[in-house]
């Protein structure tokens, strides 16, 4: 109203907005550029190409599909990370290795199932160590895939609860940084227990031949979608819906949302917090385990670094969606997945992860509450 | 506290300026009835003309948290060398007012003038460096630092805060010399507050009352012109409270200006020559302890809310 | 843990120098005995084996002490949770390597002299640190952790990318990847790595253009006489240079920063940033400075460590490297400089190298007792033997992985039980003078005397 008020608003605009405005402009530019590229229109000013170029619609479609698939996995895994962040108050750097745990245990189960159902003539040791290449596919061994999903969830939940019991529970009263550091220790120990069992080899696990693919027609070509990708999407979307129902319809879910919003409040109002904590680990761990299993189904390959390499992307998704928000984690994960793949339109693949991390840092700096601005867990 | 036994030195400040006249004796709600636009422009002019008699002037201060309006157009002034009390029921917006004055929060509207200069929206360290220093409602001692370190931290203009001075062999001599001087002052201050026996304790090991003493001592080490104390007696046992009060009176006599938040009416009435009452983010009344005691609105506010 | 501490003779507890000296002595005795034993068992030259092992363990202790000290400035003093250390080291190493590489090399560089390259590497690391500090100003510790680790991965992935490698130098060739800024051309080497400043930093002291220098002429024959070859002499010299000169310099620098008004403000920022600001300290400025200095020291640490092997690639700078350094600091006790040094030494000698040493020892003993442990070549093969000795054999074989499990467990144990580190809480007072010294006052003899009426000196008029 007064002079100072106007001055202050002006200063806010200059100090805080320019970065945001620049970002908005940059995003806008990229959108226009993308549209131009897709339409094959080029705008050239004074010899430099301003926007546009050439990008096949089907290539774009493939980027989008890959991005959505990675994004679903990142989003699924992000639910647990986000919940532990808000309910247990720490950034769990071991979360990526929960994915690895799920992947190895799930694929072990899937391999054993496939071994039994296919009556394969292979030494069991090769099955156990996942050394027999390309044994499983959703077509030839659908049961193995289903068993794998279930086992990945169960084993990961078991490991996560055990780790909570011996590592995190004795530290409930400690600060977030102590827990964060402890989680770095957990991450390392867990990862290398897996290495001791399964070695550092990268193995190919899924059969690619004979897996039917749907060719979705795009204007100038097709976007193939194979049965493994469809399986991944079905499981991921189904689980996300399940989490939604759990949070909205059950008493436990409501308690969890309340606690994520305000732990102290939840404690005084008498929600049994240890029960909520356990539920958090169960849901978060289970989803992480399944996410680990599913990404391997789609990629076909597995090694011990799988989860750790995804961890920063998962963090990025969670931060993008707003820490503490379950739906934000899902949405943020999908956006991060799409960003990391769509960035290939402009930058070489070496920098896809760089782009995702940059988005994460920028969001932390300018919109720490997340893109969807949610304080709420709902 | 008992109603009598008013400390001898609580007589009106010797330097009481004529600025009193600006405020209607029976300051009621009309403070916030002033048209904001008019208030702002008059402030600008006053800033130049008002003599140094009013180090702190707050005009139309406003602060919202989401839907809550914590401070709702509060205006008041603090007189040079006075011990002014700011009272009000819990949630009246006193701490938020302090936070806006000292730059911890950005006010949503209004002006804060310190010694004639507009300090609205300045950063906390800039305000402290101008000589306006505050303590916190919940004592914020630096727990893993000793009492001595806490006090040594505060003084302004330490050459050793420049990193090169502290590192380079030729320049470190200056740092040592200055720190030796400061150390003497720190010990004097500790003795003044009678916490010298705690000098080498970690601040985190102090009792609640000792922390309050430490905070005040630390604030003094900045050599401020004016101190804002947010509930310095909360959680302090009676004998320490007495001591703290004595110190405040001693310091006031040396020329310090105090603005003291307290929600214990009696304590303020006995010790402050000028009292400001806040309620629901507004200044409800202002005047001498006697005026306030007889103000119906104040009584309503207090009886209506709590106590 | 405290029982171990109680068993330490008092002599070593009396001063930090004695404590560190005692620790080094312990490490040397253990390493000398164990490696001497290996050499004898294997019929190799014992003196050479022992000296070689001492050189390498000294090197590791020194570099970890150095890095822990640098990190202590960020995390210990200021509470800045920087887990991007590997990235800042990479910046220092790569910057110096590019500055020193000849313009005609592959990748090309600037061809500057070594000292200039080192200073340049440190400055560039400091500047990149200053940029990374911008988030530090407004983020809480755990967000800062995510940002810094993200930053460090961005640096690593960028160095790894083939686009800046500088290996395809023909501008018209496809995949041309020389970076050119203001006409200055250089490259990172990409995934293949880059030649660093030196592969034998001490060589210049011992070997001149035409044969050994005076020092070389004096030392080489003597070393040779007891069976120590020249490269080991150089390694040993460099390790002790790092330990005695560099670590001491870092230590003194950190001590001076810590024990000063500057360090006091850093401590206050760690404890409660708002209090520091409310007392008139511009904490943003302090944080930026500290980030720059710390990252500069990390860059220098990187140059002296990873830059001393002659060659480096981006894989060296994975987040695990950061984790090692953090573990070293936490073991010794964040906030204490002596703790940082002790932590670096203990981490290197016992946590990092210890498991390997133990595995070799078990192996050697088994060799003596019953001709060696069985070595199943995978987990499954080991399990199905149902033979605990075979299991042990498998673990010994896989000690490199087991080490990580052990490190993880140590971190968890420390965070749960001993977050102050091995040395416990140490009162290191942030001041250049002894604060406990009271000013001399003639009448202040009696403590019970009347409390002073002299108020703190202030410009007000007394009554
Ligand atoms: N940081 C904050 N965020 C949200 N609301 C706040 C914050 N600080 C104070 N408030 C609200 O502002 C109102 C005034 O609080 P406060 O200034 O602390 O009152 P007082 O100090 O007079 O007791 C209260 O309703 C309080 O809940
Ligand atoms: Mg208050």
């Amino acid at each position: 109203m007064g002079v100072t008020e106007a001055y202050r608003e002006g200063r806010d605009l200059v100090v805080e907005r320019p970065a945001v405005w620049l970002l908005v402009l940059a995003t806008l530019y990229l959108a226009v550029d993308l549209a131009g590229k897709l339409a094959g229109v080029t705008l050239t000013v004074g010899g430099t190409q301003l926007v546009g170029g050439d990008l096949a619609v089907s290539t774009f479609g493939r980027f989008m599909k890959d991005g959505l698939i990675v994004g679903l996995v990142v989003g699924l895994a992000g639910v647990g990370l986000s919940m532990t962040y808000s309910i247990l108050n720490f950034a769990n750097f071991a979360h990526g290795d929960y994915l690895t745990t799920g992947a190895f245990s799930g694929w072990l189960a899937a391999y054993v199932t496939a071994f039994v159902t296919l009556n394969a003539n292979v030494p069991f040791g090769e099955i156990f160590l996942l050394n027999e290449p390309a044994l499983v596919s959703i077509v030839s061994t659908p049961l193995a895939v289903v068993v794998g999903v279930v086992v990945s969830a169960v084993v990961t939940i078991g490991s996560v609860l055990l780790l909570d019991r011996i590592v995190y529970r004795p530290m409930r009263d400690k600060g977030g940084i102590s827990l964060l550091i402890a989680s770095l220790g957990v991450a390392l120990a867990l990862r290398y227990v897996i290495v001791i069992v399964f070695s550092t080899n990268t193995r190919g696990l899924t059969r690619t031949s004979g897996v039917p693919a749907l060719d979705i027609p795009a204007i100038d070509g097709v976007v193939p979608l194979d049965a493994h990708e469809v399986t991944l999407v079905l499981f991921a979307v189904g689980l996300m819906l399940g989490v939604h129902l759990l949070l909205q319809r059950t008493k436990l879910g409501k308690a969890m949302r309340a606690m994520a919003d305000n732990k102290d409040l939840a404690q005084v109002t008498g929600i049994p917090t240890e029960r909520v904590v356990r539920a958090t680990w169960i849901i978060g761990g289970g989803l992480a385990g399944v996410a680990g299993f599913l990404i391997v189904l789609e990629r076909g390959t597995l090694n011990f670094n799988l989860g750790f390499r995804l961890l920063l992307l998962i963090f990025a998704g969670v931060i993008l969606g707003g820490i503490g928000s379950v739906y934000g984690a899902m949405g943020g994960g999908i956006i991060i997945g799409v960003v990391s793949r769509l960035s290939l339109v402009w930058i070489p693949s070496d920098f896809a992860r760089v782009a995702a991390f940059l988005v994460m840092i920028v969001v932390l700096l300018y919109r720490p509450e997340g893109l969807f601005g949610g304080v709420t867990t709902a | 506290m008992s109603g009598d036994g008013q400390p001898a030195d609580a007589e009106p400040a010797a330097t009481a300026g004529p600025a009193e006249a600006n405020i209607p004796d029976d300051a009621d709600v009309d403070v916030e009835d002033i048209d904001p636009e008019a208030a702002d422009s008059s402030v600008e002019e006053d800033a130049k003309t008002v003599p140094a008699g009013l180090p702190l002037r707050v005009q139309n201060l406003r602060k919202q948290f989401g839907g809550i309006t914590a401070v709702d157009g509060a205006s008041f002034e603090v007189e040079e060398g006075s011990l002014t009390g700011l009272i009000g029921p819990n949630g009246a917006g006193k701490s938020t007012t302090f936070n806006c004055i000292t730059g911890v929060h950005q006010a949503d509207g209004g002006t804060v003038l310190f010694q004639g200069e507009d300090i609205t929206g300045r950063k906390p360290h800039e305000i402290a460096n101008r000589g306006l220093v505050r303590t916190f409602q919940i004592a914020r001692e630096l727990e893993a630092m000793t009492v001595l370190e806490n006090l040594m931290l505060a003084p302004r203009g330490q050459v050793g805060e420049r990193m090169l001075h502290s590192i380079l062999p030729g320049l470190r001599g200056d740092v040592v010399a200055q720190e030796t001087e400061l150390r003497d002052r720190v010990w004097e201050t500790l003795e003044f507050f009678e916490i010298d026996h705690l000098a080498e304790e970690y601040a985190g090991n102090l009792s609640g009352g000792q922390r309050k003493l430490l905070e005040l001592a630390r604030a003094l080490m900045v050599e401020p012109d004016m101190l804002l104390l947010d509930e310095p007696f909360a959680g302090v046992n009676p004998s320490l409270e007495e001591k703290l009060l004595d110190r405040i009176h001693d310091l006031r006599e040396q020329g310090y200006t105090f603005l003291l938040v307290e929600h214990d009416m009696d304590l303020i009435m006995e010790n402050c020559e000028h009292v400001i009452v806040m309620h629901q983010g507004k200044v409800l009344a202002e005047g001498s302890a006697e005026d306030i005691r007889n103000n119906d609105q104040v009584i309503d506010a207090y009886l209506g809310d709590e106590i | 843990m405290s029982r171990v501490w109680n068993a330490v003779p008092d002599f070593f507890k009396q001063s930090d120098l004695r404590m560190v000296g005692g620790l080094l002595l312990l490490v040397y005795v253990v390493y000398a005995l164990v490696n001497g034993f290996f050499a004898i068992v294997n019929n190799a030259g014992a003196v050479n084996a022992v000296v070689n092992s001492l050189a390498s363990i000294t090197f590791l202790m020194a570099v970890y002490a150095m890095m822990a000290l640098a990190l202590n400035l960020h995390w210990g003093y200021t509470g800045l949770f920087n887990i991007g250390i590997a990235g800042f080291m990479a910046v220092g190493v790569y910057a110096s390597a590019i500055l020193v590489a000849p313009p005609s090399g592959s990748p090309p560089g600037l061809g500057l002299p070594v000292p200039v390259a080192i200073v340049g590497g440190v400055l560039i690391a400091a500047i990149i640190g200053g940029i990374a500090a911008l988030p530090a100003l407004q983020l809480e510790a755990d967000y800062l952790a995510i940002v810094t680790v993200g930053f460090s991965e961005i640096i690593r992935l960028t160095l790894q990318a083939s686009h800046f490698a500088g290996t395809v130098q023909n501008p018209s060739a496809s995949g041309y990847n020389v970076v050119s800024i203001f006409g200055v051309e250089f490259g990172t080497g990409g995934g293949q790595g880059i030649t660093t400043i030196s592969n034998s930093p001490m060589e210049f002291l011992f070997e001149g253009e035409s044969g050994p220098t005076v020092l070389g002429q004096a030392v080489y024959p003597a070393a040779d006489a007891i069976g120590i070859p020249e490269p080991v002499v150089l390694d040993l010299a460099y390790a002790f240079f790092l330990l005695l000169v560099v670590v001491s310099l870092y230590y003194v620098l950190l001590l001076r920063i810590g024990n000063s008004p500057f360090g006091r403000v850093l401590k206050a920022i760690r404890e409660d940033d708002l209090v520091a600001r409310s007392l008139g300290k511009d904490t943003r400025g302090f944080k930026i400075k500290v980030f720059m200095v710390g990252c500069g020291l990390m860059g220098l640490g990187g140059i002296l460590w990873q830059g001393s092997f002659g060659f480096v690639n981006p894989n060296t700078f994975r987040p695990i490297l950061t984790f090692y350094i953090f573990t070293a600091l936490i073991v010794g006790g964040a906030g204490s400089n002596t703790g940082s040094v002790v932590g670096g030494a203990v981490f290197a000698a016992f946590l990092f190298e210890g498991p390997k040493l133990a595995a070799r020892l078990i192996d050697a003993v088994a060799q003596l007792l019953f001709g060696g442990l069985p070595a199943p070549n995978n987990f499954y093969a080991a399990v199905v033997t149902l033979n605990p000795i075979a299991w042990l054999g498998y673990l010994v074989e896989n000690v490199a992985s087991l080490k990580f499990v052990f490190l993880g467990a140590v971190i968890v144990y420390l965070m749960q039980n001993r977050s102050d580190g091995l040395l416990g809480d140490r009162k290191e007072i942030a001041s250049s003078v002894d604060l406990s010294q009271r000013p001399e006052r003639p009448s202040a003899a009696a403590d019970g005397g009347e409390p002073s009426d002299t108020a703190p000196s202030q410009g007000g008029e007394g009554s």
Side-chain angles (χ1 to χ4, degrees):
Chain A
M1 300 99 216
V3 181
T4 38
E5 190 74 351
Y7 160 72
R8 212 172 302 142
E9 268 170 26
R11 192 193 48 192
D12 279 357
L13 264 177
V14 179
V15 175
E16 287 175 33
R17 300 294 157 194
V20 176
W21 277 116
L22 266 173
L23 277 176
V24 171
L25 281 181
T27 316
L28 226 62
Y29 167 77
L30 290 180
V32 171
D33 187 47
L34 183 63
K37 281 188 162 76
L38 286 174
V41 180
T42 308
L43 181 65
T44 313
V45 174
T48 42
Q49 181 182 322
L50 217 54
V51 292
D54 205 10
L55 176 71
V57 176
S58 57
T59 311
F60 171 74
R62 258 174 243 196
F63 285 155
M64 282 302 283
K65 180 201 76 178
D66 287 350
L68 281 172
I69 282 173
V70 174
L72 278 172
V73 169
V74 169
L76 204 57
V79 171
L81 189 63
S82 184
M83 287 199 310
T84 39
Y85 209 140
S86 54
I87 292 181
L88 289 138
N89 266 322
F90 76 104
N92 183 11
F93 273 74
H95 198 77
D97 296 286
Y98 295 170
L99 268 77
T100 317
T101 307
F104 274 97
S105 57
W107 281 95
L108 178 56
Y111 256 53
V112 172
T113 311
F115 175 71
V116 173
T117 52
L118 294 179
N119 241 327
N121 184 20
V122 198
F124 185 70
E126 293 304 288
I127 296 294
F128 180 90
L129 295 170
L130 302 176
N131 283 342
E132 175 67 20
L135 192 66
V136 171
S137 89
I138 186 73
V139 188
S140 62
T141 55
L143 181 64
V145 173
V146 175
V147 169
V149 168
V150 173
V151 170
S152 68
V154 171
V155 172
T156 311
I157 289 171
S159 321
V160 163
L161 286 178
L162 183 71
L163 285 167
D164 180 58
R165 184 72 195 77
I166 54 182
V167 178
Y168 302 124
R169 199 156 118 192
M171 300 179 70
R172 289 271 197 270
D173 56 335
K174 301 230 160 123
I177 290 296
S178 296
L179 283 157
L180 190 162
I181 296 173
S183 80
L184 288 167
V186 170
L188 205 60
L190 192 56
R191 197 177 320 150
Y192 281 91
V193 166
I194 291 172
V195 169
I196 288 175
V197 178
F198 293 100
S199 86
T200 54
N201 292 346
T202 301
R203 60 266 285 164
L205 297 177
T206 55
R207 184 173 297 177
T208 41
S209 63
V211 176
L214 195 67
D215 280 343
I216 303 169
I219 296 164
D220 49 13
V222 292
V223 178
L225 185 69
D226 74 25
H228 285 159
E229 290 165 338
V230 173
T231 313
L232 183 149
V233 171
L234 289 180
F235 271 113
V237 172
L239 283 169
M240 284 178 174
L241 273 176
V243 171
H244 165 73
L245 291 179
L246 192 93
L247 284 182
Q248 298 297 338
R249 300 284 162 82
T250 66
K251 223 171 125 188
L252 183 73
K254 284 175 188 150
M256 291 177 73
R257 281 158 54 202
M259 219 169 131
D261 277 347
N262 187 341
K263 195 174 173 189
D264 295 334
L265 180 90
Q267 245 149 7
V268 293
T269 51
I271 295 164
T273 52
E274 271 304 322
R275 227 187 87 213
V276 171
V277 168
R278 200 174 326 125
T280 304
W281 283 123
I282 289 174
I283 297 171
L287 293 179
V290 174
F293 180 86
L294 290 178
I295 190 75
V296 176
L297 182 68
E298 193 264 337
R299 282 187 187 170
T301 58
L302 168 63
N303 85 358
F304 73 105
N305 256 331
L306 171 94
F308 186 67
R309 281 174 59 89
L310 280 170
L311 179 65
L312 269 185
L313 284 184
I314 301 172
F315 264 120
V318 168
I319 288 165
L320 210 61
I323 283 169
S325 160
V326 168
Y327 302 117
M330 297 174 185
I334 291 171
I335 293 178
I336 277 293
V338 170
V339 163
S340 73
R341 292 303 132 115
L342 208 54
S343 65
L344 300 180
V345 173
W346 296 278
I347 57 176
S349 64
D350 283 355
F351 294 104
R353 276 150 58 83
V354 171
F357 296 162
L358 279 177
V359 167
M360 169 183 84
I361 291 178
V362 167
V363 169
L364 262 183
L365 288 183
Y366 295 104
R367 215 175 150 76
E369 73 277 19
L371 280 188
F372 313 124
V375 189
T376 50
T377 328
Chain B
M1 281 202 87
S2 55
D4 49 32
Q6 195 152 341
D9 44 13
E11 77 251 63
T15 50
E20 277 279 8
N22 290 349
I23 305 151
D25 231 355
D26 204 353
D28 294 332
V29 276
D30 39 14
V31 178
E32 71 256 19
D33 285 345
I34 301 169
D35 177 43
E37 298 291 338
D40 267 335
S41 49
S42 76
V43 164
E44 301 284 310
E45 285 157 27
D46 286 358
K48 290 158 199 127
T49 54
V50 168
L54 296 173
L56 182 68
R57 312 185 66 202
V58 174
Q59 290 288 343
N60 255 315
L61 199 65
R62 189 178 303 278
K63 176 73 191 176
Q64 281 174 304
F65 294 110
I68 304 168
T69 304
V71 181
D72 191 7
S75 303
F76 58 86
E77 288 156 351
V78 176
E79 213 171 282
E80 174 97 51
S82 72
L83 174 46
T84 300
L86 177 60
I87 58 171
N90 253 329
K94 307 179 297 289
S95 295
T96 307
T97 303
F98 266 29
N99 286 337
C100 291
I101 294 175
T102 54
V104 174
H105 289 153
Q106 289 281 319
D108 295 321
T111 319
V112 180
L113 295 171
F114 182 64
Q115 290 176 331
E117 268 183 277
D118 187 347
I119 58 163
T120 326
R122 294 263 168 208
K123 307 230 169 70
H125 72 268
E126 292 172 330
I127 293 168
N129 280 328
R130 277 162 205 250
L132 179 60
V133 173
R134 56 93 53 92
T135 65
F136 292 90
Q137 178 169 356
I138 297 162
R140 297 177 80 135
E141 64 298 315
L142 305 163
E143 296 199 11
M145 294 169 75
T146 65
V147 168
L148 282 165
E149 283 180 299
N150 263 271
L151 262 62
M152 288 292 288
L153 172 70
R156 288 185 254 173
Q158 298 191 44
V159 282
E161 284 178 12
R162 270 172 265 156
M163 186 166 38
L164 282 184
H165 271 76
S166 285
I167 299 172
L168 294 178
L171 298 173
R172 193 164 162 98
D174 296 350
V175 177
V176 172
Q178 196 194 33
E179 285 217 283
T180 312
E181 267 172 49
L182 286 179
R183 176 180 64 194
D184 293 356
R185 251 186 67 211
V186 161
W187 276 101
E188 269 177 45
T189 307
L190 287 177
E191 284 161 17
F192 176 71
F193 282 95
E194 297 172 32
I195 47 173
D196 46 328
H197 59 290
L198 299 169
E200 293 180 59
E201 274 295 335
Y202 282 125
N205 296 343
L206 267 52
S207 74
Q210 289 166 340
R211 288 175 193 211
K212 293 277 185 179
L213 281 170
L214 170 62
E215 251 208 314
L216 181 53
R218 192 175 64 194
L220 273 179
M221 288 301 298
V222 184
E223 296 196 66
D225 301 314
M226 177 172 179
L227 282 152
L228 304 181
L229 309 181
D230 197 349
E231 305 211 10
F233 309 109
V236 178
N237 71 40
S239 76
L240 262 185
E241 176 176 307
E242 200 73 33
K243 187 146 103 187
L244 201 52
L245 265 172
D246 284 349
R247 291 300 163 267
I248 291 172
H249 283 295
D250 288 350
L251 291 165
R252 197 187 62 97
E253 290 197 350
Q254 290 170 35
Y256 286 97
T257 306
F258 283 96
L259 178 62
L260 183 76
V261 161
E262 184 49 56
H263 72 238
D264 179 350
M265 273 264 241
D266 292 339
L267 192 144
I268 288 273
M269 295 299 175
E270 279 162 30
N271 291 286
C272 300
E273 60 261 33
H274 192 76
V275 179
I276 300 159
V277 185
M278 275 188 83
H279 182 55
Q280 294 178 345
K282 298 180 174 124
V283 173
L284 184 67
E286 191 171 1
S288 69
E290 204 51 39
D291 296 338
I292 299 299
R293 217 189 294 278
N294 299 327
N295 187 310
D296 292 341
Q297 280 180 302
V298 174
I299 294 166
D300 284 349
Y302 263 82
L303 289 180
D305 277 49
E306 46 144 25
I307 299 191
Chain C
M1 195 78 78
S2 60
R3 234 179 306 142
V4 177
W5 182 241
N6 288 339
V8 177
D10 272 342
F11 175 84
F12 294 113
K13 293 180 188 167
Q14 278 158 12
S15 84
D16 285 0
L17 199 59
R18 281 187 192 173
M19 182 165 65
V20 174
L23 176 63
L24 291 182
L25 195 68
L26 175 70
V27 170
Y28 288 154
V29 169
V30 170
Y31 272 74
L33 285 178
V34 175
N35 285 289
F37 170 69
F38 291 153
I40 291 165
V41 171
N42 296 327
N43 264 326
V47 176
N48 181 30
V50 168
V51 172
N52 208 346
S53 77
L54 295 191
S56 75
I57 197 62
T58 304
F59 176 80
L60 279 178
M61 290 195 294
V63 294
Y64 278 108
M66 193 164 77
M67 295 310 300
L69 279 167
L71 177 60
N72 193 34
L73 183 61
H74 283 172
W75 168 233
Y77 274 120
T78 325
L80 292 171
F81 198 70
N82 173 6
I83 54 171
I85 307 165
F88 299 113
M89 293 170 77
V91 171
V93 176
Y94 268 83
S96 63
I98 289 169
L99 290 176
V100 89
S104 58
S106 174
L110 277 69
L112 296 171
V114 169
V116 178
I118 292 178
V119 172
V122 173
L123 286 181
I124 291 170
I127 290 166
I128 299 285
I131 294 170
L134 299 177
L137 300 174
Q138 58 190 76
L139 293 178
E140 291 187 15
D142 39 3
Y143 282 25
L144 182 65
I146 296 166
V147 167
T148 47
V149 77
F151 208 83
S152 135
E153 283 289 272
I154 288 174
I155 291 171
R156 183 176 68 84
L157 293 168
T158 306
L159 292 173
Q160 196 166 39
S162 59
H163 304 267
F164 308 129
T167 45
V168 182
Q169 294 173 23
N170 178 358
S172 53
S174 80
Y176 170 71
N177 58 10
V178 174
V179 186
S180 172
I181 297 177
F182 302 124
V184 180
E185 300 200 325
F186 61 90
T188 61
Q192 289 158 29
I194 194 168
T195 304
T196 59
I197 285 192
S198 171
N199 62 355
S200 182
M202 288 289 118
E203 201 170 49
F204 75 99
L205 279 181
F206 292 85
E207 282 158 45
E209 309 242 314
S210 50
T213 60
V214 180
L215 189 65
Q217 284 166 5
V219 176
Y220 281 162
D224 198 43
I226 52 172
I228 305 172
E230 291 172 9
V232 175
V233 172
L234 293 177
D235 285 351
L236 196 65
Y238 188 53
F240 277 97
F241 163 75
L242 288 182
L243 184 71
L244 299 177
V245 178
V246 179
V247 173
S248 301
L249 281 178
Y250 268 57
Y251 184 84
V252 170
L253 179 67
L254 266 283
L255 212 58
R256 286 198 163 210
I257 291 178
N259 296 352
S260 76
F262 183 81
R264 204 150 56 218
V265 177
L266 301 188
K267 251 185 165 179
I269 291 173
R270 178 191 72 193
E271 294 293 306
D272 192 335
D273 189 71
L274 181 57
V275 168
R277 283 188 284 145
S278 296
L279 292 171
K281 314 299 174 194
D282 177 13
T283 57
R284 292 169 67 97
F286 282 90
K287 283 185 196 169
I288 292 178
K289 276 187 210 163
V290 142
F291 232 91
M292 292 185 74
V293 171
C295 289
L297 291 176
M298 287 167 187
L300 180 60
I303 294 170
L304 296 174
W305 176 1
Q306 269 91 16
S308 70
F309 307 128
F311 192 80
V312 77
N313 73 32
N315 273 334
T316 307
F317 303 103
R318 289 183 174 280
I320 188 76
L321 180 62
T322 300
F323 180 82
Y324 291 152
I325 294 161
F326 246 95
T327 308
L329 180 61
I330 290 168
V331 164
S336 158
N337 289 319
T338 306
S340 307
V341 175
V342 169
V346 169
F347 174 78
F350 299 118
L351 303 182
F352 190 75
E353 290 289 293
K356 263 186 267 176
L357 203 66
R360 278 182 71 192
L361 202 57
I362 292 173
D363 208 33
V365 170
Q367 202 83 43
L368 284 184
L369 293 182
F370 41 85
L373 286 170
N377 54 21
N378 62 51
F379 182 77
Y380 182 77
V383 170
V384 293
T385 59
L386 296 177
N387 174 6
I389 300 287
W391 299 348
L392 181 67
Y394 182 69
L395 289 181
V396 165
E397 194 91 327
N398 285 279
V399 66
S401 302
L402 198 60
K403 178 183 86 177
F404 289 109
V405 180
F406 171 65
L407 275 182
V410 166
I411 277 293
V412 169
Y413 174 83
L414 283 172
M415 292 325 289
Q416 284 184 342
N417 302 302
R418 214 172 160 91
S419 45
D420 282 334
L422 284 180
L423 301 187
D425 177 46
R426 290 167 64 84
K427 236 181 202 169
E428 293 184 1
I429 302 295
S431 171
S432 66
V433 295
D434 177 10
L435 291 183
S436 63
Q437 217 174 327
R438 274 177 110 122
E440 304 256 342
R441 298 208 305 135
S443 62
D447 251 8
E450 208 187 325
S452 133
D453 277 334
T454 9
S457 43
Q458 209 260 349
E461 71 248 28
S463 48

